[in-house]
Amino acid sequence: MHSINRRDFLSGLSLATAVLATPRYGFSWVHKANEFVEVDTTYGRIKGMRTEGVSVFKGIPYGGRVSGDRRFRRPAPLESWTGVRDALQVGAPAIQAPRRNEPAPAEDCLFLNVWTPANDNRKRPVMFYNHGGGFVIGSGASASQDGSNLARNFDVVVVETNHRLGLLGFLYLDELAGSDYAGSGNMGMLDIVDGLKWVHDNIAQFGGDPNNVMIWGESGGGAKTSCLYAMPSAAPYFNKASIESGPGVRMTLKETAAETTSLLLKELNIAPKDWRKLLDVPAADLLAMQGKLPSVAPFLGKNTSKGVAPRRAGGFGPVVDGHALPHNPFDPTAPAISKNKPLLVGWNEDEFTFFAWERKDTEFAKLDFEGVQKRLEPQYGEDTLKLIEAYRKATPNATAPQLYIAISSIAMMGLGSVDIAEKKAKQGGAPVFLYNFGYKSEKPIPGTDYPMGTPHAMDISFKFNNEVPPRDGSTPKESFFGGNRPERFTASHHFAELWATFARTGRPAAKDVPTWPAYNLKTRPTMRIDSTCEIIDNRFNEELNFWRSIGRL
């Protein structure tokens, strides 16, 4: 097993979402029914369920049909209904492999879920979450991101959407199909914007403040949040943002997206002038074809000393089309359109252990420093030995496997996060706050004695405050990634309270947590989130200076 490639990375993101959506590992969607609760929306009245102090509304439509002649286009207008519509079951996720305990995936997937402490017209902050899974899988019904505890314990309203994904959400047809398909390479993102507009028009009825909306997301959801931060159509509908383990600095250029479209048409034996035949291809066949094309990670960083490597054709995600997404989210600068919107950004300390676990890689735990060099050389070439020497100097007590995980983790999620924080700080507008999540799971990676530490995706259940003792006082079950130590409950509370306070005020804060200063280019303060939190100035300074010296940051 060598350095992770783009296909492995994307499949890992998919597995992360699938694992964390499994109810026995997360916060179950099955609740004891207390009472029904009804509320009016702009399209009609809906009925949800109030359980243990939280009103939950599932499967609310926020957009119309996107199948048939609406494939690759903006949705048909959503039709109002009469009477009371049930909002008791989650809606269909976007086209992907079947998801456990969710409806069958479908093209018509524009649904959202709402958790609120009460439908009482109070103006609570709204936390609008973008699910992970790259840009190809996932849903707003993943069990680990159940919003009940966050709403109940921190008096916020939580909203999550389903939206188009993969080929059906991001196939670039602008140059072939004409004005009806303008923005085709960003349909999945524009769906999310429609969800934000629904929140603006309706969330007051759910006890939320339409003028105090935070967008946030992890992994692919962080990349989606990065894009929304730069999209003119989204700008009126949110006030602050958080990008977690998904620094979307750059997205696909339209020239590359056009090459991907050509690849697809060639594979389907469709001439460019006959592109309309795509409207008749069954969605299942398009999903199969999507899997045959080269995969591309949902976000890119610098990877040559001469600048940014060109993104190769293949894969589906947001397109820098000059309109829906006018420019790269954070390249060359932070987006001016969001200059006055506060931002949180950061990553998990041991991101890469997730991918070692997912790939059943046990050999990394046996590496010596020569073995680390061999593993990293395909990615870093002539810089590899200098990179290892820089890390050994900065962390002289690190073992070879620890050094390998540290390098791989910061390269994957850390460099882009720091890049975003620096560019936002240079902008001189609203503050940006940089964090590392560092709670350490003691669970070993199967087949090794190496602990999971703080792997990719472990933060989801923590920040949703779903790492909590059972409400009935029974013995806590082991957390899938988080392990058994009771300290995880304190770390989860810190994480959730920091984020809920940021949603409320634009500045993260929590009881028993140090004051979190905004990031600046002198002291570079970073909040390390754990059962005991601390501010660390100039964290990873030597390591980051080396990454800068080889043009990776």
Side-chain angles (χ1 to χ4, degrees):
M1 298 270 183
H2 298 289
S3 298
I4 195 165
N5 62 35
R6 289 170 171 171
R7 180 174 292 277
D8 291 333
F9 178 49
L10 206 53
S11 67
L13 293 181
S14 301
L15 186 57
T17 302
V19 165
L20 291 170
T22 306
R24 67 177 182 273
Y25 301 137
F27 191 95
S28 176
W29 279 89
V30 179
H31 301 287
K32 180 181 178 181
N34 284 352
E35 59 182 350
F36 294 119
V37 58
E38 296 183 5
V39 64
D40 288 317
T41 76
T42 51
Y43 296 99
R45 194 165 180 82
I46 59 173
K47 178 172 67 176
M49 184 70 71
R50 185 161 182 80
T51 303
E52 297 180 341
V54 178
S55 298
V56 185
F57 300 84
K58 305 174 186 177
I60 306 170
Y62 68 88
R65 180 173 54 83
V66 290
S67 59
D69 64 351
R70 287 286 174 166
R71 182 183 280 182
F72 310 125
R73 293 175 60 193
R74 300 300 298 123
L78 179 60
E79 296 180 2
S80 299
W81 56 86
T82 58
V84 181
R85 178 182 179 128
D86 283 352
L88 304 171
Q89 301 294 330
V90 298
I95 292 294
Q96 58 192 286
R99 296 176 59 80
R100 187 175 299 182
N101 294 323
E102 293 186 35
E107 282 197 67
D108 292 321
C109 60
L110 305 189
F111 301 99
L112 56 78
N113 309 309
V114 177
W115 295 259
T116 180
N119 300 80
D120 56 7
N121 295 313
R122 287 182 56 186
K123 291 188 175 181
R124 296 176 178 84
V126 180
M127 300 180 71
F128 184 103
Y129 189 73
N130 298 305
H131 69 73
F135 292 105
V136 294
I137 73 155
S139 85
S142 181
S144 63
Q145 64 199 38
D146 183 290
S148 298
N149 282 346
L150 197 54
R152 177 189 301 108
N153 297 335
F154 299 98
D155 198 35
V156 297
V157 178
V158 181
V159 181
E160 301 175 21
T161 66
N162 292 352
H163 44 269
R164 281 175 282 183
L165 297 169
L167 189 159
L168 288 162
F170 299 99
L171 180 66
Y172 182 67
L173 292 171
D174 289 32
E175 295 168 13
L176 291 178
S179 59
D180 283 350
Y181 293 82
S184 56
N186 289 298
M187 285 297 124
M189 293 305 309
L190 292 170
D191 290 343
I192 300 175
V193 174
D194 286 347
L196 283 166
K197 185 177 186 303
W198 185 95
V199 165
H200 182 269
D201 294 344
N202 292 277
I203 208 65
Q205 303 298 318
F206 295 80
D209 184 353
N211 297 311
N212 190 13
V213 177
M214 168 187 169
I215 55 173
W216 57 315
E218 182 269 349
S219 194
K224 294 169 191 173
T225 303
S226 301
C227 291
L228 292 168
Y229 203 70
M231 291 176 66
S233 59
Y237 304 125
F238 73 93
N239 310 89
K240 52 190 75 72
S242 175
I243 298 166
E244 302 136 17
S245 296
V249 177
R250 303 169 190 89
M251 293 295 141
T252 304
L253 299 178
K254 60 184 180 181
E255 293 81 6
T256 305
E259 291 178 28
T260 299
T261 302
S262 295
L263 276 177
L264 174 70
L265 292 173
K266 184 177 180 180
E267 289 290 331
L268 291 170
N269 198 28
I270 297 174
K273 65 181 178 61
D274 296 326
W275 66 268
R276 283 189 176 276
K277 291 182 178 179
L278 287 169
L279 304 181
D280 299 321
V281 178
D285 293 348
L286 291 178
L287 179 64
M289 187 58 62
Q290 175 181 305
K292 293 179 181 178
L293 295 178
S295 294
V296 179
F299 33 83
L300 296 178
K302 290 185 178 181
N303 59 4
T304 72
S305 59
K306 298 180 181 179
V308 182
R311 185 172 188 160
R312 61 192 176 92
F316 295 95
V319 178
V320 182
D321 61 6
H323 302 288
L325 185 59
H327 47 73
N328 280 307
F330 286 91
D331 186 38
T333 62
I337 198 170
S338 290
K339 179 178 179 179
N340 296 319
K341 296 180 178 182
L343 181 66
L344 278 169
V345 62
W347 75 99
N348 298 352
E349 288 179 351
D350 306 299
E351 298 273 1
F352 200 83
T353 57
F354 167 84
F355 298 95
W357 164 78
E358 181 265 329
R359 297 162 67 198
K360 297 180 173 57
D361 176 9
T362 59
E363 293 304 310
F364 87 90
K366 306 172 186 176
L367 290 174
D368 57 19
F369 289 105
E370 183 179 353
V372 171
Q373 181 179 347
K374 289 180 180 178
R375 277 208 175 201
L376 295 178
E377 276 179 343
Q379 190 171 359
Y380 300 108
E382 61 185 18
D383 293 323
T384 304
L385 187 56
K386 291 183 291 182
L387 175 61
I388 294 171
E389 290 173 349
Y391 266 75
R392 294 191 73 175
K393 180 180 178 182
T395 54
N397 295 325
T399 65
Q402 288 171 337
L403 186 141
Y404 174 69
I405 293 296
I407 291 173
S408 301
S409 297
I410 202 169
M412 179 175 287
M413 303 294 177
L415 300 182
S417 299
V418 172
D419 191 16
I420 286 174
E422 290 181 348
K423 287 171 177 173
K424 180 65 178 173
K426 287 177 183 177
Q427 196 176 40
V432 57
F433 302 88
L434 183 66
Y435 77 90
N436 297 138
F437 180 43
Y439 177 81
K440 300 301 181 189
S441 170
E442 78 285 5
K443 289 187 67 172
I445 296 172
T448 78
D449 293 326
Y450 198 96
M452 292 292 291
T454 317
H456 186 71
M458 191 176 89
D459 56 310
I460 299 174
S461 61
F462 279 72
K463 67 194 179 193
F464 275 92
N465 201 211
N466 288 334
E467 297 289 345
V468 291
R471 294 171 66 83
D472 62 6
S474 60
T475 301
K477 295 180 180 179
E478 183 180 58
S479 170
F480 183 76
F481 281 146
N484 257 327
R485 294 191 295 119
E487 289 87 351
R488 72 185 188 275
F489 304 138
T490 303
S492 177
H493 194 279
H494 287 333
F495 207 149
E497 187 177 1
L498 286 166
W499 261 239
T501 305
F502 179 73
R504 182 169 280 106
T505 69
R507 286 192 171 270
K511 184 181 179 182
D512 300 324
V513 170
T515 299
W516 188 346
Y519 190 80
N520 64 78
L521 299 178
K522 183 178 180 180
T523 59
R524 302 178 185 272
T526 301
M527 173 67 82
R528 184 178 184 276
I529 300 169
D530 201 335
S531 54
T532 299
C533 298
E534 61 178 323
I535 298 295
I536 305 174
D537 287 343
N538 290 305
R539 191 169 199 208
F540 304 123
N541 185 52
E542 293 181 51
E543 297 95 319
L544 293 174
N545 282 337
F546 180 79
W547 288 109
R548 291 186 183 97
S549 75
I550 61 172
R552 302 287 181 125
L553 176 60

